Amino acid sequence: MSAQLGLGLAAVGRPAYITLGRDADLPADRSPAALEARAHELLDAAVGLGIGWVDTARSYGRAEQFLATWLPAAPGDVTVSSKWGYTYTAEDPGVDADEVKTHDLATFDRQWAESRALLGDRIDLYQVHSLTPDSPLWADDALLARLAEVRDAGTPLGFSTSGPRQADAVRRGVALEVGGAPLFSAVQSTWNLLETSVGPALTEAAAAGFRVLVKEGVANGRLTDRGLPADSPVRTAAAAAGVGPDAVALAAALARPWADVVLSGAATTAQLRSNADARGLAVDLGDWADDLAEDPADYWATRSALPWR
């Protein structure tokens, strides 16, 4: 069964984000009402394009809220995943960060209650946001027990990964058991033509029965017209196929045998339609794809340096 395209709401739930060119993607009015209207426009377009998976997070500004006000009129077959572990802090003048990560029991209990208050029983997957090998979660027995309670009550749990040690986090998360059963059943990782290092670990996760979600398939805009050099082979392949380079990048992710869902991070309906061209697109990557891959440390250093726009 081939992978499906999903829609991630990271780019439309908050006024600023790190995607290249995002300052031109959203209107000058970035009030909650304006962002909610854009989110609903994208969600409507996604349904029209046959995209049935929506991914959000507590730290995506008001994205969960925007999704909650759209869902009552949405088709019943929309699958919703969300995440906990980061707190959105950009609106707090006393915090010098847009989001703060905390993997502890108090944060989980608070954010699980917040997600449930907005989304109710529409949460089909609840994920730890950016689980890394050095997270305190691994040794927090009280937190693990609480997560197992949620798992046992019927909500599937997963985790997302970030950073140059994604593969280590994936393997540790797949092996983690609580109460004699795997704690997680899904993993969401960054994989794209520039950052392929987690691929072997995701192969193992899929073999273990995990659902695999791919995020940042266009590398926060670096694999689009806005970020690619004029002589990029991605542009050449896109021109030959009559699509945008973003579609080529996402098609590469959709073609991974371990992938179940590949998330679009579109901020406009035009971007979403262009992303959707990836479905069914056969691209011969040849040797040039291997040449694009960067050292993971370099890739993540570049990503960390992207400005919030």
Side-chain angles (χ1 to χ4, degrees):
M1 184 175 179
S2 60
Q4 64 173 301
L5 192 67
L7 173 63
L9 298 181
V12 292
R14 51 199 167 185
Y17 192 51
I18 61 173
T19 304
L20 297 184
R22 188 174 178 278
D23 46 345
D25 290 337
L26 296 182
D29 176 9
R30 298 191 181 185
S31 65
L35 290 176
E36 182 174 39
R38 173 61 62 86
H40 286 189
E41 180 184 355
L42 277 168
L43 289 163
D44 287 341
V47 170
L49 290 165
I51 295 170
W53 190 294
V54 179
D55 184 73
T56 184
R58 286 303 305 147
S59 65
Y60 292 172
R62 301 182 187 227
E64 277 192 340
Q65 176 183 328
F66 299 160
L67 178 59
T69 54
W70 175 83
L71 276 173
D77 58 354
V78 172
T79 301
V80 173
S81 55
S82 193
K83 297 182 282 294
W84 73 275
Y86 272 100
T87 300
Y88 182 66
T89 54
E91 296 176 352
D92 184 346
V95 180
D96 187 23
D98 289 277
E99 53 188 11
V100 175
K101 182 162 72 170
T102 314
H103 288 168
D104 61 22
L105 179 57
T107 301
F108 173 76
D109 278 339
R110 172 173 56 83
Q111 295 196 320
W112 174 237
E114 291 167 345
S115 294
R116 288 277 294 172
L118 288 168
L119 300 171
D121 60 3
R122 293 301 302 267
I123 302 173
D124 299 293
L125 174 66
Y126 205 56
Q127 305 156 98
V128 186
H129 204 160
S130 293
L131 187 57
T132 56
D134 57 355
S135 169
L137 175 144
W138 308 108
D140 190 333
D141 290 339
L143 172 58
L144 294 175
R146 178 73 179 102
L147 289 169
E149 289 177 4
V150 173
R151 173 203 64 191
D152 295 342
T155 300
L157 300 180
F159 62 99
S160 73
T161 66
S162 297
R165 297 180 61 198
Q166 285 192 105
D168 294 339
V170 170
R171 292 186 171 107
R172 192 167 181 180
V174 169
L176 181 61
E177 293 191 354
V178 180
L183 181 62
F184 302 120
S185 56
V187 58
Q188 179 179 152
S189 294
T190 293
W191 186 96
N192 56 59
L193 290 170
L194 302 177
E195 217 303 43
T196 61
S197 65
V198 75
L202 294 178
T203 298
E204 297 166 20
F210 272 54
R211 174 178 278 146
V212 176
L213 291 77
V214 175
K215 60 186 175 77
E216 301 182 357
V218 297
N220 300 107
R222 294 180 61 201
L223 289 169
T224 70
D225 281 325
R226 292 169 171 169
L228 288 166
D231 60 350
S232 169
V234 180
R235 288 184 180 272
T236 302
V243 299
D246 57 296
V248 170
L250 291 173
L254 287 164
R256 298 307 94 191
W258 37 258
D260 294 297
V261 181
V262 175
L263 297 170
S264 161
T268 70
T269 55
Q271 289 173 354
L272 186 60
R273 288 192 294 269
S274 182
N275 288 176
D277 287 340
R279 297 178 298 186
L281 180 64
V283 178
D284 182 6
L285 300 180
D287 295 335
W288 60 262
D290 293 335
D291 295 336
L292 285 178
E294 300 176 355
D295 178 84
D298 293 339
Y299 174 87
W300 288 99
T302 297
R303 185 189 184 281
S304 295
L306 295 175
W308 285 70
R309 302 169 186 267

